[in-house]
Amino acid sequence: MTEINNTGYKISKHLVFLERGADELLLVNTYECKPLLISRGRECVKKLLQAMEGLNRAAASEKFPNDIALFDLFTEHHILIPADKQECDERQDFFPDGQLQPQGISLYLLLAQSCNMACTYCLNGAKTYKKEKIIQMDEKVAFHAVEYFVKQLVSGGQIEVCLFGGEPLLNWELGKKVFQYCEEKLKPQYPDKHIVYAITSNLSILPDDFIDVAKKYSVSVLCDIDGPATLHNQTRPLINGGPSYEQIAGHVKKLIAAGIRVSLRTTVTSVNVGHISEIAKHHKALKGAGCAFVPVNPVNSDEQLLPDDLLPDMGVMLRGITAAYKAGIWDKTKLLPFSIYASKLIPGNRSVLGCGAPYGNTPVVTAESDVYPCIYLVGIEKYNLGNLMDGTYPKLEVLRSMAEDYQVEHRVDCKNCNWRYACGGGCLVGPLTIKGREDATPAVKQYGEDINCRYTKEILEEILWQMALETKEKVRKNEMSPVSDKGTRMNFC
Amino acid sequence: MQGKKPSESESKGTSRRQFLKQCGIAVVAAAAYEVMSVMMPGVAEATTSSVPLCDTSCVSSSNQSVPPANPPKCVCTSGCIDSCISGCQVNCTGCIVSSTTAKS
């Protein structure tokens, strides 16, 4: 239905113009996300849009009688919005009740902070993860953590308990106890809350009872395979320097054959960036449940920067993952980052932050029961949210400061960007860990900015075009005359 | 009074309109341009499906500031990629669609 507005319409300040090919244009108000595809007549439509700004419907109808249907589409899609409408979602307080009340939590338990591999880009710093001490979480901390966060969850909410590390299978006995504790104690006690399980493991080891336990509790597994053996072994050697691929791939196959969901992830570095489609096919051949490409994090938990020569070229990476996406090697709902970024484009979904970490939705609990907001921030003292066992968690001021400083309306690099409510400012790791560091090389600074902004924006663009293409095909397949042919003549173009 | 029997092209146009409407697509065409609304996740399916498709293993770590009119039960916008791939990679879009559908 056409909105009655006598004061006229203005062009949304969140409008993104995407051009492709000779004559196509995609118009998206990222605050509302109801895109409009101009499949033909780009320049003409742009001129009409400019000319219609300031008019109300009656005036538009009078001035452009043959194009009033287009005016209606502009307003229905929030390309033109009422002149007095404000499109701003600045938050004053992210925790007005003074507490966290998440609807969903991904809880990471660092069961073992040491690892049996020596990946070239490991994000666990030797100092912060106290690797030399071979620290492992104990039962008391683990049980307290799961109970605490299950309790914190709102009724009807869901928690994913993710065994993480280091290498969590080095403390598998505790992992099993955590599942059992959740099943036998927490689920009966909190029947209104959903508990699911996951493990992120290198799978270089596989305990004898892993398959039975994983099946029993429907544990989903995430494992990093950085490509076929020649690529994978360059970045993910065992701790003794030996190759890890054969062992890991063997275990992956074994789990998948047993019916366990194993998603495969690739950390993209300079080593494998030129092989993304090949890796996507490799993951497919291994029969992974999903395939993920994640740009390497340039800073570890000790705040040490990765060498420049390990960072992937952003252009090559984007071209590679886009090619893999378009090639249809994977169903697009199973290819990350596309699968996750698509959800940012749901109409009505506005992101003021790039992820749930500043909301306290992705707590990471260390073996010593310190809590951090994200796995990439573990060990960085200024992001320590307090200790679960001594009762200092949650230091809301840390989350509050992250959320308020980094909400899109407050970020100098975002507040004038038309994309801001679609991307929410992207992944915060770059801005939180690299920005302002004097020891960061220009290359690492640029990379940090790129994974935060360019990467997100280009992935979103690609998804939007893909949706536009699908729409166009749907319309074409049903080949008939246009729905509306009122506008047979243009009096402007 | 009996109305005029629709011609074949008119019937075709009506069914196409219905089809496109079901899909959430509006098309405006003129000599100089053709414009269509883009189907977005959670729009087309919500009008046609009444079967909840929500994947119960989908983890919600919402980063939304303003929930949609019918807030989905699961929002596949977890705080970090690892949790997304382990918890939500099954079908993020389906999850949200189904939640919206279930409530609509």
Side-chain angles (χ1 to χ4, degrees):
Chain A
M1 192 199 295
T2 306
E3 194 175 345
I4 296 169
N5 185 294
N6 294 325
T7 57
Y9 287 82
K10 62 183 178 186
I11 295 173
S12 166
K13 65 179 177 178
H14 301 285
L15 185 60
V16 169
F17 289 77
L18 299 174
E19 298 189 358
R20 191 173 270 197
D23 206 19
E24 284 190 323
L25 171 68
L26 199 48
L27 295 175
V28 193
N29 171 353
T30 60
Y31 193 75
E32 301 286 354
C33 223
K34 283 185 73 181
L36 204 54
L37 172 68
I38 289 81
S39 52
R40 176 165 58 79
R42 174 166 75 203
E43 292 308 317
C44 173
V45 171
K46 277 161 75 175
K47 283 180 193 168
L48 270 170
L49 176 61
Q50 297 293 339
M52 286 172 174
E53 184 170 29
L55 304 179
N56 60 24
R57 193 174 188 279
S61 181
E62 195 178 320
K63 199 167 177 187
F64 302 104
N66 294 328
D67 305 300
I68 194 65
L70 180 63
F71 179 88
D72 289 341
L73 267 192
F74 284 153
T75 58
E76 282 161 19
H77 288 256
H78 311 281
I79 311 298
L80 287 173
I81 61 166
D84 55 356
K85 188 177 176 187
Q86 293 300 312
E87 292 182 315
C88 178
D89 210 0
E90 186 178 6
R91 287 286 199 90
Q92 298 306 319
D93 189 356
F94 283 81
F95 309 105
D97 301 326
Q99 56 184 335
L100 301 172
Q101 290 176 309
Q103 293 179 352
I105 295 176
S106 294
L107 169 64
Y108 293 85
L109 298 176
L110 302 188
L111 290 197
Q113 294 191 190
S114 52
C115 186
N116 57 339
M117 287 181 62
C119 304
T120 53
Y121 49 73
C122 181
L123 65 91
N124 304 355
K127 191 175 138 205
T128 43
Y129 270 69
K130 300 179 182 170
K131 282 178 171 174
E132 77 291 351
K133 290 185 180 167
I134 312 182
I135 288 184
Q136 296 205 330
M137 185 175 278
D138 65 26
E139 191 176 297
K140 205 172 153 193
V141 171
F143 290 1
H144 182 71
V146 284
E147 181 149 21
Y148 181 95
F149 287 103
V150 168
K151 210 185 280 185
Q152 189 187 61
L153 203 60
V154 299
S155 180
Q158 182 164 278
I159 183 168
E160 179 190 50
V161 178
C162 183
L163 308 186
F164 207 78
E167 171 46 51
L169 289 180
L170 295 174
N171 194 3
W172 175 233
E173 288 308 310
L174 179 60
K176 288 186 287 185
K177 286 180 186 169
V178 168
F179 297 147
Q180 203 176 359
Y181 184 76
C182 290
E183 290 293 313
E184 292 174 7
K185 176 149 193 302
L186 300 182
K187 280 191 176 177
Q189 198 177 339
Y190 302 97
D192 58 329
K193 301 182 185 185
H194 308 288
I195 306 174
V196 296
Y197 311 109
I199 181 168
T200 298
S201 167
N202 63 40
L203 288 184
S204 61
I205 48 176
L206 190 65
D208 291 340
D209 56 355
F210 184 87
I211 288 176
D212 290 341
V213 174
K215 283 177 90 166
K216 184 175 177 187
Y217 299 122
S218 300
V219 180
S220 60
V221 179
L222 176 65
C223 177
D224 218 301
I225 290 201
D226 283 359
T230 48
L231 290 171
H232 176 94
N233 287 333
Q234 287 182 60
T235 50
R236 296 184 66 83
L238 294 169
I239 203 160
N240 62 12
S244 65
Y245 178 85
E246 291 304 329
Q247 253 166 289
I248 293 170
H251 290 153
V252 166
K253 287 176 190 165
K254 205 169 165 183
L255 294 183
I256 291 170
I260 292 164
R261 294 181 51 78
V262 183
S263 298
L264 300 173
R265 188 178 82 157
T266 289
T267 302
V268 183
T269 62
S270 58
V271 174
N272 58 10
V273 69
H275 303 268
I276 288 177
S277 285
E278 181 192 348
I279 297 169
K281 286 178 193 160
H282 187 69
H283 284 181
K284 192 76 181 174
L286 286 169
K287 299 183 178 160
C291 172
F293 290 96
V294 181
V296 69
N297 190 40
V299 186
N300 74 9
S301 62
D302 288 352
E303 301 190 62
Q304 290 168 333
L305 299 162
L306 276 194
D308 286 357
D309 60 8
L310 203 52
L311 304 177
D313 180 280
M314 186 56 65
V316 175
M317 179 165 67
L318 283 164
R319 280 194 296 280
I321 55 176
T322 302
Y325 177 64
K326 285 180 175 167
I329 301 163
W330 282 88
D331 180 304
K332 56 185 185 298
T333 62
K334 295 179 180 177
L335 181 65
L336 193 142
F338 298 95
S339 53
I340 188 67
Y341 282 19
S343 66
K344 289 178 175 286
L345 297 173
I346 303 286
N349 181 12
R350 280 169 215 141
S351 302
V352 294
L353 287 159
C355 74
Y359 292 90
N361 292 348
T362 55
V364 185
V365 181
T366 69
E368 291 168 324
S369 77
D370 285 323
V371 185
Y372 293 87
C374 158
I375 56 160
Y376 295 110
L377 300 176
V378 171
I380 302 178
E381 207 40 46
K382 62 184 167 188
Y383 301 118
N384 186 327
L385 300 178
N387 190 285
L388 267 182
M389 301 305 279
D390 72 11
T392 52
Y393 175 85
K395 291 179 184 168
L396 274 188
E397 65 275 14
V398 178
L399 291 175
R400 206 172 250 140
S401 152
M402 278 172 74
E404 286 172 11
D405 292 351
Y406 287 94
Q407 64 170 309
V408 289
E409 289 294 340
H410 289 182
R411 280 178 64 175
V412 285
D413 48 349
C414 294
K415 68 180 181 187
N416 294 317
C417 174
N418 298 9
W419 284 94
R420 62 188 180 278
Y421 285 106
C423 74
C427 173
L428 284 179
V429 171
L432 290 174
T433 58
I434 301 171
K435 216 165 188 178
R437 280 186 61 160
E438 286 175 6
D439 58 337
T441 62
V444 85
K445 278 184 180 164
Q446 185 60 53
Y447 179 76
E449 284 174 27
D450 283 348
I451 55 172
N452 174 239
C453 183
R454 180 181 167 193
Y455 179 77
T456 310
K457 206 186 283 182
E458 291 196 22
I459 298 290
L460 291 174
E461 267 190 49
E462 199 53 53
I463 295 169
L464 284 165
W465 277 114
Q466 184 61 32
M467 288 171 177
L469 186 68
E470 285 170 11
T471 302
K472 213 165 100 174
E473 277 173 9
K474 203 156 193 168
V475 171
R476 294 279 177 265
K477 270 184 195 165
N478 207 274
E479 283 173 344
M480 287 172 241
S481 57
V483 167
S484 163
D485 54 4
K486 284 189 235 163
T488 49
R489 300 277 311 162
M490 292 284 300
N491 51 10
F492 190 80
C493 300
Chain B
M1 196 171 77
Q2 201 170 9
K4 189 182 139 210
K5 193 181 171 190
S7 66
E8 194 187 336
S9 64
E10 280 169 340
S11 302
K12 227 172 171 186
T14 306
S15 86
R16 182 174 191 245
R17 262 195 296 277
Q18 281 168 349
F19 166 77
L20 294 174
K21 195 178 172 188
Q22 269 191 333
C23 298
I25 305 172
V27 182
V28 169
Y33 59 81
E34 183 179 63
V35 179
M36 60 188 78
S37 49
V38 175
M39 284 186 298
M40 296 300 285
V43 177
E45 293 85 343
T47 63
T48 55
S49 166
S50 59
V51 183
L53 305 167
C54 196
D55 170 25
T56 52
S57 70
C58 177
V59 171
S60 166
S61 298
S62 174
N63 68 351
Q64 292 183 312
S65 63
V66 177
N70 294 313
K73 287 172 188 166
C74 310
V75 180
C76 298
T77 44
S78 295
C80 90
I81 282 158
D82 296 278
S83 70
C84 299
I85 187 72
S86 58
C88 287
Q89 56 82 37
V90 186
N91 190 348
C92 277
T93 304
C95 165
I96 290 168
V97 168
S98 58
S99 304
T100 308
T101 306
K103 281 180 173 279
S104 60

